[in-house]
Amino acid sequence: MQTCKICGSSKLISYHHPKFNILFHECKSCEVIYKDDRHKISLDDEYKIYENHQNTLDNEGYVKFLSDFIDQTVIPYKKYGDLLDFGSGPSPVLSYILKRQYMFHVSIYDIFYAKDVNVFNKTYDVITSTEVFEHLSNPNETFVKLKKSLKDGGILAVMTLFHPNNLDKFNDWFYIRDPSHITFYTPKTFKVLAKKHGFEVLYTNEHRYITLKKITLE
């Protein structure tokens, strides 16, 4: 019997998208939805998609988009310190904003553009991850990795568009059309991940932001 890759539940249903030849698995326990492994594209193909992104400091709308994220998910909980931007992308706009506008000490990591794994040899007050989690085939593995890189009481601020939790709306949802997007969450999914990995949820806007705090061990 197949079980959920997030929570291990057997309450998993599978269905083919009515328009696209894509098999999805949906967990009725933690609410994650993910594409079947056969629809996972290669790293080379994923890289080609990233290369088409045009998000730069010259794009005022994109800068505001990222600044709003920091204002809501980070600043209420951590106003300074060491920060890792996990999945910084082809143009690390967020790291620039965090350094110049918010005065954080910033390190970056990206599977394609900033590959220095030595950044994981230290711990951080904050880890940000914007539009990365939808690309992950193994979110549990990533949670373990990021938790090790967070100080006790440190925060993990994530941006990923939460799915509508309605099959008809999901089937028409633009977010699933990107072939590099393979895993889709709701706030409940992150609450399950938080409990599993020793975090607590501090905040979510129920749309695309969530902030989690690493629980301090007594």
Side-chain angles (χ1 to χ4, degrees), residues 130-155:
T130 58
E131 300 184 306
V132 173
F133 269 70
E134 63 270 21
H135 301 273
L136 300 179
S137 61
N138 193 336
N140 279 303
E141 184 178 85
T142 299
F143 255 82
V144 170
K145 186 181 191 70
L146 297 184
K147 182 181 179 181
K148 290 179 180 177
S149 296
L150 270 178
K151 299 175 183 178
D152 284 349
I155 67 166

Side-chain angles (χ1 to χ4, degrees), residues 166-182:
N166 173 284
L167 183 57
D168 290 334
K169 291 180 180 179
F170 179 81
N171 285 334
D172 288 332
W173 194 33
F174 77 97
Y175 215 54
I176 65 175
R177 297 175 188 172
D178 185 327
S180 66
H181 292 180
I182 57 177

Side-chain angles (χ1 to χ4, degrees), residues 3-13 25-34 163 165 186-193:
T3 57
C4 173
K5 71 177 184 179
I6 295 290
C7 69
S9 171
S10 60
K11 296 180 180 178
L12 203 66
I13 63 171
H25 305 290
E26 177 181 359
C27 179
K28 291 300 184 179
S29 182
C30 73
E31 298 182 354
V32 71
I33 300 177
Y34 51 92
H163 74 71
N165 210 15
T186 68
K188 182 178 180 180
T189 316
F190 275 95
K191 290 173 184 176
V192 170
L193 283 164

Side-chain angles (χ1 to χ4, degrees), residues 2-218:
Q2 189 172 16
T3 57
C4 173
K5 71 177 184 179
I6 295 290
C7 69
S9 171
S10 60
K11 296 180 180 178
L12 203 66
I13 63 171
S14 302
Y15 52 84
H16 279 93
H17 191 278
K19 295 180 181 178
F20 311 124
N21 186 28
I22 299 175
L23 176 64
F24 289 98
H25 305 290
E26 177 181 359
C27 179
K28 291 300 184 179
S29 182
C30 73
E31 298 182 354
V32 71
I33 300 177
Y34 51 92
K35 293 178 180 177
D36 190 83
D37 285 345
R38 74 190 73 176
H39 300 294
K40 181 180 177 182
I41 63 175
S42 69
L43 284 178
D44 285 343
D45 286 339
E46 188 168 354
Y47 173 74
K48 291 174 184 177
I49 292 173
Y50 276 111
E51 283 290 274
N52 290 324
H53 289 187
Q54 301 295 322
N55 298 324
T56 68
L57 279 168
D58 296 328
N59 186 332
E60 293 182 4
Y62 185 62
V63 171
K64 184 180 185 306
F65 177 67
L66 294 178
S67 297
D68 288 347
F69 167 70
I70 297 302
D71 287 340
Q72 292 186 48
T73 64
V74 176
I75 297 305
Y77 312 103
K78 297 285 183 181
K79 293 180 171 57
Y80 56 86
D82 295 318
L83 184 149
L84 172 65
D85 185 24
F86 178 74
S88 52
S91 180
V93 177
L94 182 59
S95 66
Y96 182 89
I97 295 170
L98 287 162
K99 291 176 185 176
R100 298 300 178 93
Q101 186 172 331
Y102 298 94
M103 309 307 289
F104 280 94
H105 302 289
V106 182
S107 300
I108 64 174
Y109 175 78
D110 190 276
I111 192 172
F112 299 117
Y113 302 100
K115 300 180 181 181
D116 185 4
V117 295
N118 288 316
V119 297
F120 297 109
N121 292 334
K122 63 177 288 187
T123 54
Y124 301 88
D125 300 286
V126 182
I127 296 178
T128 54
S129 187
T130 58
E131 300 184 306
V132 173
F133 269 70
E134 63 270 21
H135 301 273
L136 300 179
S137 61
N138 193 336
N140 279 303
E141 184 178 85
T142 299
F143 255 82
V144 170
K145 186 181 191 70
L146 297 184
K147 182 181 179 181
K148 290 179 180 177
S149 296
L150 270 178
K151 299 175 183 178
D152 284 349
I155 67 166
L156 171 61
V158 176
M159 179 198 295
T160 184
L161 196 58
F162 299 139
H163 74 71
N165 210 15
N166 173 284
L167 183 57
D168 290 334
K169 291 180 180 179
F170 179 81
N171 285 334
D172 288 332
W173 194 33
F174 77 97
Y175 215 54
I176 65 175
R177 297 175 188 172
D178 185 327
S180 66
H181 292 180
I182 57 177
T183 305
F184 312 97
Y185 313 78
T186 68
K188 182 178 180 180
T189 316
F190 275 95
K191 290 173 184 176
V192 170
L193 283 164
K195 184 176 180 180
K196 185 173 183 178
H197 294 285
F199 287 82
E200 62 176 309
V201 175
L202 296 179
Y203 165 79
T204 178
N205 69 349
E206 305 287 340
H207 178 55
R208 67 166 76 234
Y209 300 164
I210 193 157
T211 303
L212 306 101
K213 177 181 178 182
K214 180 179 175 180
I215 296 173
T216 303
L217 298 177
E218 298 297 337

